[in-house]
Amino acid sequence: MKRVFLLALIALLAGCTTVKKWVYGDPLPAEVKSVRVVAEIGANGDNATALDLVFVYDVNALALLPKTGPEWFAQKRALQASLATGIDVVPLEVPPATVIAAAPMPRRHGKAIGVYAFPNYVAAAGQAVGKLTPFKRPTVRLMPDTVEYRDDAN
């Protein structure tokens, strides 16, 4: 009897993810609650940084997203037109020595299956896309030559 109960309990706990997938579909929604942006003194060669936060709602849109900031900004208008309601874009212009405690979030951000940061640096370094999806409260730190991403949820 104890063995049956234990197996049933294990199956129930293992099924929690399955239940979420049934409710939300596959993949699960991102858990990003807020995004903080910190631009250090001298960030981006002491230039304001264009930074787009992209919230993705359509799994098919994920494959179309570029891998770097410059690619995103070169294709931005076309991607927004073709992906339409599959994404929301929050454009930011962040000067050095600035802190954005809580970046604006799209109304439907809780339904996003992916959240990405696309920085546009003058120099080639620091321009890879930032995957914010696994974080609850990510901080995007714009530094002189690169960008750092971390979760402040803990």
Side-chain angles (χ1 to χ4, degrees), residues 27 56-67 83 86-87 113-116 133:
V56 180
Y57 306 97
D58 179 355
V59 70
N60 297 318
L62 292 172
L64 299 176
L65 292 179
K67 304 296 183 224
L83 298 175
I87 64 170
I113 59 171
V115 181
Y116 300 89
T133 307

Side-chain angles (χ1 to χ4, degrees), residues 23-45:
V23 171
Y24 294 108
D26 194 22
L28 297 174
E31 295 188 24
V32 175
K33 306 294 184 216
S34 66
V35 178
R36 182 173 182 248
V37 181
V38 177
E40 294 181 354
I41 294 172
N44 190 16

Side-chain angles (χ1 to χ4, degrees), residues 72-108:
W72 164 257
F73 285 98
Q75 302 171 32
K76 180 177 176 177
R77 286 194 177 148
L79 286 167
Q80 285 182 291
S82 66
L83 298 175
T85 60
I87 64 170
D88 282 328
V89 179
V90 176
L92 301 171
E93 190 74 23
V94 189
T98 300
V99 174
I100 300 173
M105 302 283 274
R107 182 177 28 97
R108 59 186 182 148

